[in-house]
mmCIF file of all heavy atoms in Angstrom:
data_model
loop_
_atom_site.group_PDB
_atom_site.id
_atom_site.type_symbol
_atom_site.label_atom_id
_atom_site.label_comp_id
_atom_site.label_asym_id
_atom_site.label_seq_id
_atom_site.Cartn_x
_atom_site.Cartn_y
_atom_site.Cartn_z
ATOM 1 N N CYS A 8 159.674 -6.529 62.419
ATOM 2 C CA CYS A 8 160.342 -7.795 62.859
ATOM 3 C C CYS A 8 159.636 -9.044 62.433
ATOM 4 O O CYS A 8 160.194 -10.022 62.011
ATOM 5 C CB CYS A 8 160.594 -7.826 64.405
ATOM 6 S SG CYS A 8 161.705 -6.546 64.947
ATOM 7 N N VAL A 9 158.253 -8.966 62.483
ATOM 8 C CA VAL A 9 157.427 -10.123 62.058
ATOM 9 C C VAL A 9 157.629 -10.281 60.545
ATOM 10 O O VAL A 9 157.731 -11.448 60.066
ATOM 11 C CB VAL A 9 155.961 -9.878 62.408
ATOM 12 C CG1 VAL A 9 155.031 -10.884 61.734
ATOM 13 C CG2 VAL A 9 155.753 -9.919 63.913
ATOM 14 N N MET A 10 157.723 -9.229 59.784
ATOM 15 C CA MET A 10 157.875 -9.358 58.319
ATOM 16 C C MET A 10 159.202 -9.984 57.991
ATOM 17 O O MET A 10 159.347 -10.827 57.097
ATOM 18 C CB MET A 10 157.682 -8.007 57.629
ATOM 19 C CG MET A 10 156.243 -7.584 57.624
ATOM 20 S SD MET A 10 155.147 -8.690 56.827
ATOM 21 C CE MET A 10 155.785 -8.659 55.172
ATOM 22 N N ILE A 11 160.276 -9.615 58.718
ATOM 23 C CA ILE A 11 161.571 -10.178 58.444
ATOM 24 C C ILE A 11 161.569 -11.701 58.754
ATOM 25 O O ILE A 11 162.054 -12.466 57.929
ATOM 26 C CB ILE A 11 162.643 -9.459 59.274
ATOM 27 C CG1 ILE A 11 162.839 -8.066 58.767
ATOM 28 C CG2 ILE A 11 163.975 -10.282 59.269
ATOM 29 C CD1 ILE A 11 163.770 -7.198 59.678
ATOM 30 N N ALA A 12 160.981 -12.086 59.855
ATOM 31 C CA ALA A 12 160.885 -13.460 60.202
ATOM 32 C C ALA A 12 160.029 -14.218 59.150
ATOM 33 O O ALA A 12 160.383 -15.395 58.745
ATOM 34 C CB ALA A 12 160.269 -13.675 61.572
ATOM 35 N N LEU A 13 158.971 -13.629 58.668
ATOM 36 C CA LEU A 13 158.102 -14.253 57.670
ATOM 37 C C LEU A 13 158.802 -14.410 56.354
ATOM 38 O O LEU A 13 158.728 -15.480 55.716
ATOM 39 C CB LEU A 13 156.834 -13.456 57.484
ATOM 40 C CG LEU A 13 155.767 -14.024 56.609
ATOM 41 C CD1 LEU A 13 155.263 -15.338 57.227
ATOM 42 C CD2 LEU A 13 154.628 -13.098 56.432
ATOM 43 N N ILE A 14 159.655 -13.441 55.935
ATOM 44 C CA ILE A 14 160.355 -13.535 54.692
ATOM 45 C C ILE A 14 161.418 -14.658 54.774
ATOM 46 O O ILE A 14 161.571 -15.450 53.859
ATOM 47 C CB ILE A 14 161.024 -12.206 54.403
ATOM 48 C CG1 ILE A 14 159.969 -11.199 53.928
ATOM 49 C CG2 ILE A 14 162.080 -12.364 53.276
ATOM 50 C CD1 ILE A 14 160.512 -9.751 53.799
ATOM 51 N N VAL A 15 162.145 -14.759 55.920
ATOM 52 C CA VAL A 15 163.114 -15.817 56.120
ATOM 53 C C VAL A 15 162.418 -17.144 56.054
ATOM 54 O O VAL A 15 162.892 -18.104 55.449
ATOM 55 C CB VAL A 15 163.887 -15.610 57.406
ATOM 56 C CG1 VAL A 15 164.714 -16.835 57.695
ATOM 57 C CG2 VAL A 15 164.778 -14.358 57.296
ATOM 58 N N PHE A 16 161.273 -17.292 56.699
ATOM 59 C CA PHE A 16 160.509 -18.525 56.776
ATOM 60 C C PHE A 16 160.069 -18.941 55.366
ATOM 61 O O PHE A 16 160.205 -20.105 55.010
ATOM 62 C CB PHE A 16 159.310 -18.450 57.699
ATOM 63 C CG PHE A 16 158.411 -19.632 57.650
ATOM 64 C CD1 PHE A 16 158.765 -20.749 58.248
ATOM 65 C CD2 PHE A 16 157.217 -19.584 56.898
ATOM 66 C CE1 PHE A 16 157.980 -21.898 58.201
ATOM 67 C CE2 PHE A 16 156.431 -20.724 56.859
ATOM 68 C CZ PHE A 16 156.783 -21.902 57.484
ATOM 69 N N ILE A 17 159.572 -18.011 54.632
ATOM 70 C CA ILE A 17 159.088 -18.304 53.265
ATOM 71 C C ILE A 17 160.305 -18.768 52.370
ATOM 72 O O ILE A 17 160.176 -19.762 51.655
ATOM 73 C CB ILE A 17 158.368 -17.141 52.627
ATOM 74 C CG1 ILE A 17 157.023 -16.926 53.296
ATOM 75 C CG2 ILE A 17 158.148 -17.321 51.134
ATOM 76 C CD1 ILE A 17 156.274 -15.678 52.947
ATOM 77 N N ALA A 18 161.378 -18.116 52.458
ATOM 78 C CA ALA A 18 162.573 -18.433 51.672
ATOM 79 C C ALA A 18 163.112 -19.893 52.025
ATOM 80 O O ALA A 18 163.364 -20.651 51.156
ATOM 81 C CB ALA A 18 163.695 -17.440 51.826
ATOM 82 N N VAL A 19 163.196 -20.125 53.343
ATOM 83 C CA VAL A 19 163.718 -21.428 53.783
ATOM 84 C C VAL A 19 162.728 -22.468 53.438
ATOM 85 O O VAL A 19 163.102 -23.604 52.920
ATOM 86 C CB VAL A 19 163.999 -21.369 55.295
ATOM 87 C CG1 VAL A 19 164.343 -22.801 55.796
ATOM 88 C CG2 VAL A 19 165.224 -20.475 55.591
ATOM 89 N N ASN A 20 161.457 -22.261 53.635
ATOM 90 C CA ASN A 20 160.436 -23.275 53.356
ATOM 91 C C ASN A 20 160.380 -23.515 51.850
ATOM 92 O O ASN A 20 160.226 -24.729 51.423
ATOM 93 C CB ASN A 20 159.065 -22.850 53.846
ATOM 94 C CG ASN A 20 158.062 -23.888 53.800
ATOM 95 O OD1 ASN A 20 158.342 -25.074 53.901
ATOM 96 N ND2 ASN A 20 156.820 -23.521 53.632
ATOM 97 N N GLY A 21 160.482 -22.522 51.009
ATOM 98 C CA GLY A 21 160.475 -22.739 49.549
ATOM 99 C C GLY A 21 161.658 -23.591 49.116
ATOM 100 O O GLY A 21 161.473 -24.497 48.300
ATOM 101 N N GLY A 22 162.848 -23.325 49.634
ATOM 102 C CA GLY A 22 164.010 -24.108 49.307
ATOM 103 C C GLY A 22 163.880 -25.583 49.755
ATOM 104 O O GLY A 22 164.270 -26.468 49.023
ATOM 105 N N THR A 23 163.263 -25.756 50.906
ATOM 106 C CA THR A 23 163.092 -27.090 51.454
ATOM 107 C C THR A 23 162.069 -27.839 50.606
ATOM 108 O O THR A 23 162.328 -29.056 50.267
ATOM 109 C CB THR A 23 162.603 -27.015 52.889
ATOM 110 O OG1 THR A 23 163.511 -26.272 53.683
ATOM 111 C CG2 THR A 23 162.382 -28.443 53.496
ATOM 112 N N GLN A 24 161.031 -27.220 50.202
ATOM 113 C CA GLN A 24 160.034 -27.904 49.397
ATOM 114 C C GLN A 24 160.619 -28.236 47.995
ATOM 115 O O GLN A 24 160.342 -29.317 47.411
ATOM 116 C CB GLN A 24 158.805 -26.986 49.213
ATOM 117 C CG GLN A 24 158.011 -26.737 50.462
ATOM 118 C CD GLN A 24 157.425 -28.053 51.013
ATOM 119 O OE1 GLN A 24 157.145 -28.941 50.297
ATOM 120 N NE2 GLN A 24 157.432 -28.098 52.356
ATOM 121 N N LYS A 25 161.474 -27.359 47.425
ATOM 122 C CA LYS A 25 162.061 -27.606 46.158
ATOM 123 C C LYS A 25 162.984 -28.844 46.271
ATOM 124 O O LYS A 25 163.039 -29.720 45.388
ATOM 125 C CB LYS A 25 162.797 -26.383 45.686
ATOM 126 C CG LYS A 25 163.426 -26.563 44.313
ATOM 127 C CD LYS A 25 164.115 -25.256 43.942
ATOM 128 C CE LYS A 25 164.872 -25.388 42.631
ATOM 129 N NZ LYS A 25 165.640 -24.193 42.230
ATOM 130 N N ARG A 26 163.763 -28.883 47.328
ATOM 131 C CA ARG A 26 164.687 -30.010 47.511
ATOM 132 C C ARG A 26 163.972 -31.300 47.732
ATOM 133 O O ARG A 26 164.383 -32.336 47.244
ATOM 134 C CB ARG A 26 165.607 -29.703 48.722
ATOM 135 C CG ARG A 26 166.887 -30.414 48.755
ATOM 136 C CD ARG A 26 167.891 -29.924 49.733
ATOM 137 N NE ARG A 26 168.378 -28.603 49.449
ATOM 138 C CZ ARG A 26 168.217 -27.466 50.158
ATOM 139 N NH1 ARG A 26 167.627 -27.534 51.288
ATOM 140 N NH2 ARG A 26 168.692 -26.336 49.725
ATOM 141 N N LYS A 27 162.835 -31.205 48.499
ATOM 142 C CA LYS A 27 162.063 -32.464 48.707
ATOM 143 C C LYS A 27 161.518 -32.969 47.375
ATOM 144 O O LYS A 27 161.484 -34.231 47.095
ATOM 145 C CB LYS A 27 160.905 -32.182 49.605
ATOM 146 C CG LYS A 27 161.177 -32.260 51.072
ATOM 147 C CD LYS A 27 159.935 -32.032 51.922
ATOM 148 C CE LYS A 27 160.177 -31.943 53.377
ATOM 149 N NZ LYS A 27 158.955 -31.719 54.131
ATOM 150 N N ALA A 28 160.997 -32.103 46.524
ATOM 151 C CA ALA A 28 160.465 -32.475 45.195
ATOM 152 C C ALA A 28 161.569 -33.147 44.361
ATOM 153 O O ALA A 28 161.314 -34.181 43.711
ATOM 154 C CB ALA A 28 159.846 -31.330 44.499
ATOM 155 N N ALA A 29 162.770 -32.550 44.371
ATOM 156 C CA ALA A 29 163.818 -33.116 43.532
ATOM 157 C C ALA A 29 164.284 -34.480 44.069
ATOM 158 O O ALA A 29 164.493 -35.447 43.322
ATOM 159 C CB ALA A 29 165.070 -32.164 43.562
ATOM 160 N N LEU A 30 164.333 -34.622 45.397
ATOM 161 C CA LEU A 30 164.716 -35.933 45.975
ATOM 162 C C LEU A 30 163.626 -36.943 45.755
ATOM 163 O O LEU A 30 163.970 -38.128 45.467
ATOM 164 C CB LEU A 30 164.976 -35.769 47.493
ATOM 165 C CG LEU A 30 166.253 -35.044 47.829
ATOM 166 C CD1 LEU A 30 166.378 -34.858 49.344
ATOM 167 C CD2 LEU A 30 167.477 -35.811 47.322
ATOM 168 N N HIS A 31 162.394 -36.560 45.738
ATOM 169 C CA HIS A 31 161.304 -37.511 45.435
ATOM 170 C C HIS A 31 161.400 -37.984 44.000
ATOM 171 O O HIS A 31 161.236 -39.173 43.680
ATOM 172 C CB HIS A 31 159.935 -36.868 45.680
ATOM 173 C CG HIS A 31 158.775 -37.707 45.402
ATOM 174 N ND1 HIS A 31 158.463 -38.749 46.210
ATOM 175 C CD2 HIS A 31 157.871 -37.692 44.374
ATOM 176 C CE1 HIS A 31 157.377 -39.416 45.720
ATOM 177 N NE2 HIS A 31 156.987 -38.727 44.593
ATOM 178 N N THR A 32 161.756 -37.070 43.049
ATOM 179 C CA THR A 32 161.935 -37.427 41.677
ATOM 180 C C THR A 32 163.115 -38.421 41.511
ATOM 181 O O THR A 32 162.983 -39.421 40.754
ATOM 182 C CB THR A 32 162.151 -36.182 40.753
ATOM 183 O OG1 THR A 32 161.119 -35.262 41.011
ATOM 184 C CG2 THR A 32 162.311 -36.500 39.361
#
């Protein structure tokens, strides 16, 4: 269960960081 939560967190966080970088550009 911890691994599933960690995978979801990493995927969501990665998408958020990518979107922030694009908006900053």
Side-chain angles (χ1 to χ4, degrees):
C8 293
V9 168
M10 288 302 295
I11 291 171
L13 188 62
I14 289 169
V15 169
F16 173 75
I17 289 171
V19 169
N20 191 31
T23 303
Q24 295 298 327
K25 183 178 176 183
R26 202 167 292 119
K27 277 184 184 179
L30 288 175
H31 181 70
T32 304

